[in-house]
Amino acid sequence: MAGSREKKRYRRQSKTVVMGILLVTLLFCGILFYKTKTLQARDSRYAEKESRLEGQIEEEKKTAEKLEEQEIYMQTKKYIEEIAKTKLGLVNPGETLMKPKEE
């Protein structure tokens, strides 16, 4: 009789241990699932931010190209003459400056 009690007790303890292990395993799986979802969300935010920054880089490259073109243009004789005429009111020899009449 004492042997059958011990077997029942051993089976109960075994079931308790198995249930404990199962519970801990499910807990770890739940944590792993949560962390996976969190990391996927963060990854998608970073991918979106990366694409926005790449767009800004392209815009800045275009702006830099325009500035380089403007710098080259500003070193030409045509630009210097244009500024001299518009800002300073100067004219080339033989040219007449005509301004519209203000009313």
Side-chain angles (χ1 to χ4, degrees), residues 73-93 95 97:
Y73 174 68
M74 291 174 76
Q75 295 172 355
T76 63
K77 186 175 179 178
K78 181 179 178 183
Y79 174 77
I80 295 170
E81 287 178 357
E82 182 182 312
I83 293 299
K85 288 179 181 178
T86 58
K87 303 280 181 178
L88 303 175
L90 301 176
V91 292
N92 285 326
E95 288 183 346
L97 181 63

Side-chain angles (χ1 to χ4, degrees), residues 21-71:
I21 292 172
L22 183 61
L23 182 64
V24 169
T25 304
L26 287 175
L27 181 65
F28 281 139
C29 286
I31 291 171
L32 183 64
F33 179 75
Y34 172 76
K35 285 294 185 179
T36 301
K37 290 297 181 185
T38 305
L39 289 174
Q40 286 174 346
R42 188 182 300 168
D43 185 47
S44 66
R45 285 194 311 265
Y46 286 153
E48 182 181 313
K49 186 175 183 178
E50 180 182 16
S51 66
R52 272 188 283 130
L53 290 174
E54 286 174 353
Q56 288 178 353
I57 288 171
E58 289 301 317
E59 288 177 17
E60 293 301 323
K61 284 181 180 178
K62 289 177 184 177
T63 304
E65 286 178 18
K66 287 180 183 178
L67 288 173
E68 287 176 9
E69 290 173 6
Q70 185 178 7
E71 182 181 8

